[in-house]
Amino acid sequence: MYQLLQYFKFLWRSTNQHGVHSPFVYQLVTLCFYDRKKHESYTILKQYRKALYRNHSQISITDLGAGSRIFNGNTRKVSKIAKTSGITLKRSKLLNRLVSYLEVKHILELGTSLGIGTSALSIGHQEAQITTIEGCPNTAAAAQSQFQQFKLNNINSIIAEFTPAIQQLDNQTYDLIYMDGNHQKTATLYYFSELLDTVHNDTVIILDDIHWSKAMTEAWEEIKAHPKVTVTIDTFYWGLVFFRTEQRKEHFSIRV
């Protein structure tokens, strides 16, 4: 009910490209968000997903986040996880376009899961180097098997809890950070704060499920208010955060 109410609020306040007066955001929306071309990479994204749907092996899940609203136990079929918990095809296509449009070269992902989102990042810009962190060893192993099968060789997988893994990151800065692993307010704000040292002027941070719960929406509002944040885009499912100092602080809600 909370998500449904938030969605109606989002529809009321959101707009398309015609309600955007920032040239940077206008171009992002028109050239990337609303790009309707059939890209060759979409075929691989679909094949990656179908391969998971055919995988009916069971794995034991170590859930370090907010838990699942779908599964009760810790033993789950890979195919079921892919169908119910993975990023949707529509959003994986958008993630793929974002990487290509922004020409990002260094990517950090929190929450590999089965690698559906990771594959979109990998294929979006093959010169990019991706570091993806997953706390569940069995889920990470299933993802790594898929990466090998599809020859996605620009992915560095780390199996660890997010906090120690983030603290051990080197001095690398990232062009894109995709946070999709722990839908809790305290954890989200902590990871965001810790990762601020790894961003630069053109970095984008993508936060998943910003309206998953009241607490996550509160976390989103706190991040929007952060003094280093200049531009944010709420797509309901995702929150995009930019740090472009040449732009005045603005917040957009865009229907995608």
Side-chain angles (χ1 to χ4, degrees):
M1 285 299 298
Y2 176 79
Q3 288 184 342
L4 184 61
L5 178 60
Q6 288 298 112
Y7 186 64
F8 284 131
K9 289 181 178 179
F10 170 79
L11 290 178
W12 176 259
R13 67 175 181 269
S14 61
T15 184
N16 55 24
Q17 74 271 34
H18 300 298
V20 175
H21 302 292
S22 162
F24 169 75
V25 177
Y26 179 83
Q27 290 186 353
L28 177 67
V29 172
T30 55
L31 300 180
C32 180
F33 283 16
Y34 295 163
D35 177 1
R36 305 306 182 198
K37 295 190 293 292
K38 293 183 179 179
H39 297 273
E40 292 182 8
S41 56
Y42 292 173
T43 300
I44 304 175
L45 296 182
K46 292 177 181 177
Q47 291 172 346
Y48 189 100
R49 186 177 298 267
K50 288 180 179 179
L52 289 171
Y53 290 171
R54 293 191 297 266
N55 185 346
H56 300 297
S57 61
Q58 292 191 333
I59 59 175
S60 179
I61 299 297
T62 304
D63 198 330
L64 302 172
S68 172
R69 291 177 172 172
I70 299 171
F71 299 103
N72 292 322
N74 290 330
T75 301
R76 305 166 192 173
K77 286 185 177 180
V78 170
S79 56
K80 187 69 173 179
I81 298 171
K83 290 177 182 178
T84 58
S85 303
I87 181 176
T88 65
L89 180 59
K90 181 179 179 180
R91 273 184 272 173
S92 66
K93 288 179 178 179
L94 176 55
L95 191 60
N96 181 255
R97 294 197 302 273
L98 278 166
V99 171
S100 177
Y101 176 79
L102 296 172
E103 297 183 336
V104 298
K105 293 186 177 180
H106 298 285
I107 301 172
L108 175 66
E109 178 185 42
L110 301 186
T112 316
S113 187
L114 295 173
I116 298 177
T118 323
S119 66
L121 296 168
S122 171
I123 300 164
H125 188 41
Q126 295 186 8
E127 293 182 9
Q129 294 298 314
I130 302 161
T131 298
T132 182
I133 304 171
E134 173 58 47
C136 174
N138 294 330
T139 308
Q144 289 170 0
S145 177
Q146 287 271 123
F147 299 157
Q148 293 174 4
Q149 179 182 342
F150 284 86
K151 296 180 172 57
L152 305 181
N153 300 318
N154 57 344
I155 301 171
N156 173 34
S157 296
I158 298 175
I159 302 173
E161 294 186 32
F162 293 164
T163 298
I166 290 172
Q167 291 173 347
Q168 293 178 20
L169 291 173
D170 56 22
N171 295 323
Q172 175 70 58
T173 57
Y174 296 99
D175 307 312
L176 185 150
I177 299 173
Y178 180 43
M179 294 173 55
D180 179 25
N182 191 329
H183 300 149
Q184 298 180 91
K185 177 181 178 180
T186 302
T188 298
L189 292 174
Y190 175 77
Y191 302 146
F192 178 81
S193 176
E194 287 293 298
L195 290 170
L196 283 177
D197 288 338
T198 71
V199 307
H200 55 78
N201 191 71
D202 296 319
T203 297
V204 56
I205 295 182
I206 304 173
L207 297 105
D208 188 61
D209 281 342
I210 56 173
H211 298 295
W212 192 79
S213 65
K214 183 175 183 292
M216 279 299 293
T217 303
E218 291 171 352
W220 171 239
E221 291 299 325
E222 288 191 33
I223 288 170
K224 286 167 60 177
H226 194 282
K228 285 191 175 181
V229 172
T230 56
V231 174
T232 67
I233 303 175
D234 181 345
T235 69
F236 185 71
Y237 296 103
W238 283 348
L240 283 75
V241 181
F242 295 90
F243 305 87
R244 295 165 55 86
T245 56
E246 64 270 32
Q247 294 197 220
R248 66 185 179 90
K249 199 174 186 75
E250 285 188 279
H251 307 294
F252 301 90
S253 294
I254 304 293
R255 294 188 293 273
V256 178

